[in-house]
Amino acid sequence: MPSGFQYFQQAYSMCLVIFSVVIVTALMFTDNTKLAKDAHPVAALVIMWLGILWMSMVEGGQCSMVGLPPIDRDLYKESHPTTYKICSLGHKGNNLDRYLMGRQFMVIFINFTINLCGAPLEGAEVLGLPEILTDIFLGSGIAMVLTVVTIGQLTAQVNASHCMLDYINTHFMTFTLYVTLIIEVTGVMHSCYLIRDMFYFAAGKPVETNEPPRNAVQNLFHWGRVVFSLGVLCFALAVTLEALFKGQTTMWEFIPNGVAVVLFVLLMSLVGLLEGMQIAFFAVAKIPKADRGDHPFARKTCEVLFKGNGRNLPGFMVGRQMTVTLCFFIIARVTTLDIEIGVDDNIFGVSDGIQEFFNLGFLGAIITTILASIAWQLVASAFPIAFLSNPVVYIVLRIVLLIEATGICAGAWFLGMIHKKVAGFQLDEVYVGTAEERAAGQKPDHSVHAGRDFTIGTNVLSKPPANWEEALANLGPVPETFSQRRERILKNIKEMKELMGNAGTDAEQSAYEAGLAAEVKALQKLNQEESEAADPTKGVDSV
């Protein structure tokens, strides 16, 4: 049951969301957004809400697609026929990986589209708001973030993480699944596979697959698309950097061109860091102590993250969602070209039609998906300990948890409750029972994806996993060896003797002597433990 403070957070969060929706809508109907100005306010409004609606299916669908593989599909074949068909296709071979690849691009593509509809133009004013409110909600992009994250993302995740079967039992998800698979098959994102193979090879990790090895024709088709993807990525980077250096993007006018390029790189790095952190956090929980090393920042990060049975992990996921979405909107502003057709020179002399396409900002979506999202996730998956050993990760974790603690997105729980009642969602256990009940009924959970670490997409943690205690144990400090303990005790003895020599009073002398005696006793005990470990029979009394 939520506490009074949580109810307060939900109330003020909903007030902020409603206020954000109102001012974003007002922006459109005063022609203060790009699409409203270039097309029509109604078109901008309709496309934005269609985008938010589709975002909710993309986000909620991922929860279901990743969570349902272990459950025998025959258990819900009759009760959820659409979900059954979706999972039959989505969980076949490597289709789940393909879905996650296409989904990642869709999330960023939809965010960039929503940005065209609702992001304010330079100097936009609305409803006579004071300058400070305009700067906070419009200038920073907070209004757009609250609208999209609370309504389109977190609300979907709240329900889909518990009601997976009901959530995707609709042909809207069927359509979404096919779109993601089509995006993947085009090859635009295939350079991600090259990045994955390179980093997995460097880490000595095999690339997991549920399909037989590719034949010659399949290899040619695969690597041909990789080359195509690299060409698209390089061209997108060239166009975007050319526009940034010439000041021909929708970046705020007061920011110099060189600073805009630096900001672009920093934002891409921040998004990558946040995308990689979620993967590394889940991966490191499964790594045994002996394989983790003992880097101080990796340990400090894990201690904060899993404090109090891991309560900070869901908090990080919520704060991360908001921070990443804010970065997406700013990157969209940085990378969207602003070249007036027929007046300004087109980038690289392309035709007016191609330049109009460039002006939509979708080249930035391609760059962001590959370089700021998927690539960092793959790096974190291959080298989770090295990733967490970066002190910047610890600092960003603290900041993200602080954002979540404000409760600014708490309205998602309220909206999720309404959505659940209106849609008639029920918990998955109502239809297929618990894991224990399924096992008792000779339908135990199993999957070709069992034990897989999905390295692309957003992890959503609604409740602690079954092996939570084991994960917490793995994240604890690595026990000292006998040699390390002896070295530490001998160092303490040396320091005690030095302090005794410099003691100024009898009381200090007595205290240091007592400390020295305690260290000597600890050394004797250590010698006994090491002797017993070498020969266990020495610790057993004779009968």
Side-chain angles (χ1 to χ4, degrees):
M1 190 74 179
S3 64
F5 180 66
Q6 288 172 323
Y7 278 126
F8 167 75
Q9 286 184 319
Q10 291 182 20
Y12 98 78
S13 174
M14 282 305 305
C15 289
L16 291 176
V17 170
I18 293 170
F19 178 69
S20 298
V21 171
V22 169
I23 62 175
V24 169
T25 304
L27 274 175
M28 296 177 190
F29 283 92
T30 54
D31 291 340
N32 273 315
T33 73
K34 182 175 177 62
L35 193 60
K37 181 181 178 181
D38 294 345
H40 193 279
V42 174
L45 182 67
V46 170
I47 292 173
M48 186 188 81
W49 282 105
L50 286 176
I52 291 174
L53 178 64
W54 202 2
M55 178 74 80
S56 68
M57 181 52 68
V58 172
E59 292 287 0
Q62 183 201 223
C63 298
S64 299
M65 293 297 290
V66 173
L68 285 174
I71 301 175
D72 192 312
R73 288 197 291 271
D74 287 339
L75 292 175
Y76 54 85
K77 183 176 182 180
E78 299 297 330
S79 62
H80 296 77
T82 303
T83 299
Y84 175 83
K85 293 177 182 177
I86 289 170
C87 291
S88 296
L89 172 63
H91 297 158
K92 180 180 179 181
N94 290 333
N95 279 352
L96 185 54
D97 296 290
R98 297 184 179 102
Y99 160 77
L100 292 172
M101 178 79 75
R103 172 219 164 264
Q104 194 69 22
F105 176 75
M106 278 190 65
V107 168
I108 298 175
F109 173 83
I110 294 172
N111 272 313
F112 274 57
T113 302
I114 293 173
N115 178 73
L116 287 174
C117 299
L121 298 176
E122 185 74 24
E125 295 181 1
V126 66
L127 301 178
L129 293 175
E131 184 177 351
I132 186 171
L133 285 181
T134 301
D135 290 341
I136 291 174
F137 284 91
L138 298 181
S140 67
I142 291 295
M144 288 294 297
V145 173
L146 286 173
T147 302
V148 175
V149 172
T150 307
I151 300 175
Q153 294 179 303
L154 294 179
T155 298
Q157 294 172 6
V158 164
N159 285 328
S161 58
H162 295 285
C163 310
M164 297 182 288
L165 291 170
D166 281 343
Y167 201 93
I168 63 171
N169 195 44
T170 167
H171 287 300
F172 190 15
M173 181 60 197
T174 305
F175 171 71
T176 300
L177 173 61
Y178 276 109
V179 171
T180 59
L181 294 178
I182 290 172
I183 290 172
E184 193 276 342
V185 81
T186 63
V188 175
M189 298 290 111
H190 264 54
S191 54
C192 296
Y193 291 126
L194 176 62
I195 296 171
R196 178 198 63 185
D197 293 346
M198 290 170 57
F199 281 109
Y200 273 48
F201 176 78
K205 297 174 65 174
V207 176
E208 298 182 25
T209 179
N210 300 312
E211 295 179 350
R214 294 187 293 265
N215 58 35
V217 175
Q218 291 171 329
N219 262 324
L220 181 62
F221 184 49
H222 172 79
W223 290 108
R225 286 180 292 173
V226 169
V227 173
F228 165 71
S229 176
L230 287 172
V232 170
L233 175 61
C234 291
F235 182 72
L237 277 170
V239 170
T240 301
L241 290 174
E242 175 77 4
L244 281 171
F245 279 116
K246 289 185 175 181
Q248 294 179 316
T249 73
T250 54
M251 169 59 78
W252 294 282
E253 293 181 358
F254 64 86
I255 296 181
N257 297 344
V259 176
V261 175
V262 174
L263 181 61
F264 169 63
V265 174
L266 290 177
L267 286 169
M268 296 276 284
S269 300
L270 179 57
V271 169
L273 197 68
L274 290 165
E275 294 282 17
M277 284 169 68
Q278 59 155 338
I279 299 297
F281 288 160
F282 281 87
V284 77
K286 301 178 181 180
I287 298 176
K289 295 177 184 178
D291 298 333
R292 287 191 298 106
D294 195 29
H295 195 282
F297 272 104
R299 179 186 293 183
K300 288 177 67 175
T301 300
C302 292
E303 287 174 353
V304 171
L305 188 70
F306 295 99
K307 183 179 179 181
N309 280 338
R311 67 175 181 267
N312 280 341
L313 185 53
F316 163 77
M317 298 306 296
V318 172
R320 171 205 159 277
Q321 189 80 67
M322 179 159 184
T323 309
V324 165
T325 303
L326 176 60
C327 290
F328 284 159
F329 284 129
I330 299 177
I331 291 174
R333 189 176 191 113
V334 173
T335 60
T336 298
L337 273 63
D338 187 22
I339 294 177
E340 190 173 349
I341 305 298
V343 177
D344 301 325
D345 293 334
N346 294 347
I347 293 289
F348 298 146
V350 300
S351 66
D352 289 348
I354 294 177
Q355 185 60 59
E356 287 180 354
F357 173 75
F358 288 171
N359 286 353
L360 294 176
F362 296 141
L363 294 182
I366 294 173
I367 297 170
T368 306
T369 303
I370 297 174
L371 296 184
S373 184
I374 295 177
W376 286 69
Q377 292 177 3
L378 294 170
V379 172
S381 173
F383 306 101
I385 297 301
F387 197 91
L388 295 187
S389 299
N390 184 345
V392 179
V393 170
Y394 177 77
I395 296 171
V396 172
L397 172 61
R398 285 291 193 181
I399 294 173
V400 169
L401 289 176
L402 180 62
I403 293 173
E404 189 276 335
T406 64
I408 196 169
C409 291
W413 295 98
F414 176 74
L415 293 175
M417 177 187 67
I418 294 176
H419 183 204
K420 183 177 180 181
K421 289 186 177 181
V422 171
F425 291 154
Q426 296 192 79
L427 298 178
D428 298 318
E429 288 78 3
V430 173
Y431 303 107
V432 296
T434 64
E436 292 76 15
E437 290 170 343
R438 293 193 292 271
Q442 306 304 312
K443 290 284 186 179
D445 291 352
H446 64 280
S447 171
V448 293
H449 304 288
R452 287 284 308 277
D453 289 322
F454 294 103
T455 56
I456 299 174
T458 302
N459 285 303
V460 180
L461 184 68
S462 57
K463 53 187 177 181
N467 62 342
W468 195 250
E469 292 183 0
E470 179 184 348
L472 291 174
N474 284 341
L475 293 167
V478 179
E480 289 181 304
T481 63
F482 287 118
S483 298
Q484 290 172 330
R485 289 171 61 188
R486 179 174 287 102
E487 182 180 354
R488 174 173 52 80
I489 293 172
L490 290 175
K491 181 180 178 182
N492 291 342
I493 290 175
K494 181 181 179 181
E495 291 177 353
M496 285 295 177
K497 288 182 177 180
E498 291 176 354
L499 291 170
M500 286 172 60
N502 297 325
T505 64
D506 292 341
E508 289 181 356
Q509 183 74 18
S510 299
Y512 294 143
E513 288 176 353
L516 177 61
E519 293 294 342
V520 171
K521 186 176 181 180
L523 182 59
Q524 293 172 344
K525 183 179 179 182
L526 172 63
N527 292 335
Q528 182 180 356
E529 290 178 1
E530 186 174 17
S531 178
E532 291 175 356
D535 185 3
T537 60
K538 291 183 179 181
V540 180
D541 293 333
S542 300
V543 178

